[in-house]
Amino acid sequence: MDNEKAWFVRRVVLSVLFLVAVAVPLYPELFGLDEVTPFPQLVAYRPQGLVVLLVLALLMLVRRGWRIAAALAAVLALVGGALVAPRHFSHARQAPADARQLTIMVANVLGGGANAADVAQLIRDRKPDLVSLPEAQVDVREQINALLQDQQYKGYTAQPGSAVESATSVLVAPSLGAVTFASDPATTLGNVVVTGGTLAGVRLIAYHGYPPLTDGVMTWKHDLQAVRHWCSEDPATIVAGDFNATVDHADFRQALGGYCRSVGPTAGGGLHGTWPADQPAVLRTQIDHVVVTRQLQPERFTTYPIRGTDHRAVVATVAVLR
């Protein structure tokens, strides 16, 4: 009897240790490890990790000695899945019929590697008011705009460094009128702030966040803090671009801070991965976002393939609430 009790206690202890071991890469923020490599990189794939964990738990059930661990792992996977599911099943609330709509497009062009004709065709098809082009230098922006001459888009580029990755460009539809372009020095890579014209108190910001590289996690965190600053101040703001962060990153959620929300998860497109584009959909994660303050209502979110880049393009529609 004592041997059986000792066996049970040992299994419980080992099962709890197993649960902690699988929970750390899935929820590193609970252990204060979300800014320690490799956890910022791994947590970007939390939805996929939860599926793998559930399958593993089911397989473990065949072994009697593993059943406690299997049950704990299954509970973690199911609870995590319940938290992720709304990203796919959420539906944006209906905006007032007379609300003004803005269409925003994001396409990381991989330093000019993206097929300019694909980008231009998507612009022609969806007619966005603002096109955010991370990694687009002036020549790349002009190459795309040359294919849109009859559309009369205006362009601007911010490039704080010599590296291609530091350039961020925008194209703005003529319907926005005489807008003003500026750049905020708060981020490592380029950003473009668009105001004025017919925006009527709405601010559009094209953004490219620093990636959470092994030696660049603090820079990544610093750039996300700029998003928090933009979201927490007036006027009504839309930030669109490659954030190099997902909603599973605690730093991204802190950047939104209750002031902003990402259109994808709000409109039921939160599991539409945008990177890496050359992988099957189940292996992609959503790091390209359009985030909006509370004065704007998310409506639609769609991704599109672009040849020559490792990102899918994003097109989001939002309504301006009065």
Side-chain angles (χ1 to χ4, degrees), residues 268-286:
L271 295 180
H272 296 173
T274 61
W275 179 89
D278 61 348
Q279 296 299 311
V282 296
L283 298 180
R284 296 196 294 262
T285 188
Q286 190 174 112

Side-chain angles (χ1 to χ4, degrees), residues 26-27 29-30 46-47 50 74-90 247-248 253 265-266 270-271:
L26 287 171
Y27 294 95
E29 65 269 29
L30 299 180
R46 180 180 291 168
L50 290 169
V75 169
L76 176 61
L78 290 172
V79 171
L83 295 174
V84 167
R87 301 179 202 172
H88 178 70
F89 295 106
S90 294
V247 293
D248 290 307
R253 297 194 301 274
T266 308
L271 295 180

